[in-house]
Amino acid sequence: MICFSSIYLKSMEFTTAEPFLHKGLLQSFELTKYILKTNVYPREPSPLKELREVTAKHPGNFMSTTPDSGQLMGMLLKLINAKKTIEIGVYTGYSLLLTALSIPHDAMIIAIDPNKETYEIGLPIIQKAGVEHKINFIESQALPVLDKLLQNQKDNEGSFDFAFVDADKENYLNYHERLLKLVKVGGLIVFDNTLWGGTVAQPEEAVSEDRKESRRSIIEFNNSVSIDQRIEIALTPSGDGLTICRRIR
Ligand SMILES: C[S@@+](CC[C@H](N)C(=O)[O-])C[C@H]1O[C@@H](n2cnc3c(N)ncnc32)[C@H](O)[C@@H]1O
Ligand SMILES: O=c1cc(-c2ccc(O)cc2)oc2c(O)c(O)ccc12
């Protein structure tokens, strides 16, 4: 396993247009670059490319969903013909715009994030792409919004086709429980960062202090979904780890 600091140092060699290289868990930057350059970037819709380039100039750029994970999510959204979706953790909106571009004209996304400022960085690009009408942005912590949606059982329980979670790792299990009630049988819940920079497979002593708490939460989450009989799962090593959960009961 390559240690995180050496990944970081190596990543400094790349331009700000490619802040995703250091996030990939593949053991070779060249291989990550190969995947992005041959299969991902050439097919990335131009508004997403523009949003990625704007975000690259922002200090939090490492938080964006990686373009390869975005490509996989776009495929999933189209495969299930998702119409009613929910996203927890928007930042500048890469995954949000990706979702908006992948669902039909009359489909919708409830997008939740307490930080409206970062959402507003990507908003002009979302508007220019003509998909703002699909988005209901809610400036809030996610848990109270999910609980409110669940209070209106008739309209919301089992009604969502797709959910994407990319926010505070400490609440992943709380989100999972609520989203399992909101998503229909056959619907998908996708969680980002489930390999947490590879630290899930490292001894705790080898992990930097600032990553320990989230690492513990992610490990607890991974263990829990691995035995959850209500879902089928696939943990894919795309980006920082993407766990796809399909509700089956
Ligand atoms: C990793 S970023 C999301 C990246 C985004 N998916 C993208 O593609 O750019 C995490 C986001 O989660 C938000 N967040 C943190 N705690 C949250 C909470 N309790 N509820 C909802 N969003 C939260 C942060 O404000 C931040 O914008
Ligand atoms: O380094 C991070 C941190 C987060 C993060 C931290 C605290 C929150 O309340 C939400 C998110 O998320 C990240 C992320 O999603 C990512 O892909 C890379 C790094 C980080």
Side-chain angles (χ1 to χ4, degrees):
M1 175 68 64
I2 302 170
C3 83
F4 222 80
S5 56
S6 74
I7 290 180
Y8 179 71
L9 285 174
K10 280 194 175 181
S11 75
M12 306 277 278
E13 292 162 20
F14 296 103
T15 66
T16 51
E18 296 176 290
F20 308 105
L21 287 177
H22 75 280
K23 280 184 76 173
L25 295 169
L26 290 175
Q27 303 270 312
S28 148
F29 282 121
E30 290 313 312
L31 194 50
T32 307
K33 222 171 165 177
Y34 173 83
I35 293 170
L36 292 172
K37 293 209 162 153
T38 61
N39 275 255
V40 181
Y41 290 156
R43 289 171 169 269
E44 189 182 40
S46 56
L48 271 181
K49 180 173 190 279
E50 191 182 345
L51 182 50
R52 179 164 55 79
E53 288 171 353
V54 166
T55 303
K57 297 182 195 127
H58 193 260
N61 61 27
F62 58 91
M63 291 206 296
S64 275
T65 297
T66 60
D68 51 332
S69 293
Q71 191 181 54
L72 176 58
M73 274 173 54
M75 171 90 75
L76 293 173
L77 285 157
K78 288 175 188 165
L79 279 171
I80 65 167
N81 189 25
K83 290 209 163 129
K84 192 172 174 187
T85 74
I86 187 161
E87 170 162 314
I88 301 176
V90 172
Y91 180 47
T92 62
Y94 189 87
S95 52
L96 178 61
L97 177 56
L98 172 279
T99 303
L101 292 169
S102 305
I103 59 178
H105 187 76
D106 60 346
M108 59 86 92
I109 312 163
I110 294 178
I112 315 166
D113 199 302
N115 189 341
K116 195 173 182 188
E117 256 176 54
T118 50
Y119 168 62
E120 283 172 349
I121 294 172
L123 186 56
I125 301 169
I126 290 173
Q127 287 165 338
K128 201 165 63 170
V131 291
E132 191 193 8
H133 69 279
K134 300 181 194 177
I135 299 169
N136 173 14
F137 178 82
I138 303 178
E139 183 182 7
S140 170
Q141 304 283 327
L143 282 179
V145 176
L146 299 181
D147 286 336
K148 201 165 168 209
L149 287 171
L150 283 167
Q151 276 167 20
N152 187 351
Q153 267 186 20
K154 199 166 72 64
D155 286 347
N156 294 319
E157 234 181 64
S159 72
F160 287 81
D161 301 297
F162 185 92
F164 179 57
V165 182
D166 186 14
D168 48 332
K169 316 307 164 196
E170 292 71 20
N171 271 314
Y172 269 28
L173 274 176
N174 290 325
Y175 297 143
H176 181 61
E177 281 311 313
R178 287 158 177 82
L179 289 169
L180 260 182
K181 295 193 180 99
L182 290 169
V183 164
K184 61 178 63 159
V185 172
L188 301 181
I189 312 171
V190 177
F191 291 87
D192 201 3
N193 307 110
T194 52
L195 295 173
W196 201 230
T199 61
V200 293
Q202 292 172 345
E204 193 176 60
E205 317 81 79
V207 176
S208 64
E209 278 308 315
D210 59 324
R211 295 179 75 79
K212 276 186 180 158
E213 192 186 347
S214 296
R215 172 187 169 275
R216 266 185 238 123
S217 304
I218 292 286
I219 290 175
E220 194 187 347
F221 169 81
N222 287 341
N223 290 342
S224 177
V225 293
S226 74
I227 53 165
D228 191 330
Q229 297 301 307
R230 300 167 295 178
I231 51 174
E232 291 171 342
I233 55 165
L235 200 180
T236 71
S238 167
D240 193 25
L242 207 62
T243 295
I244 303 160
C245 306
R246 179 172 175 270
R247 183 177 171 197
I248 53 172
R249 55 176 67 94

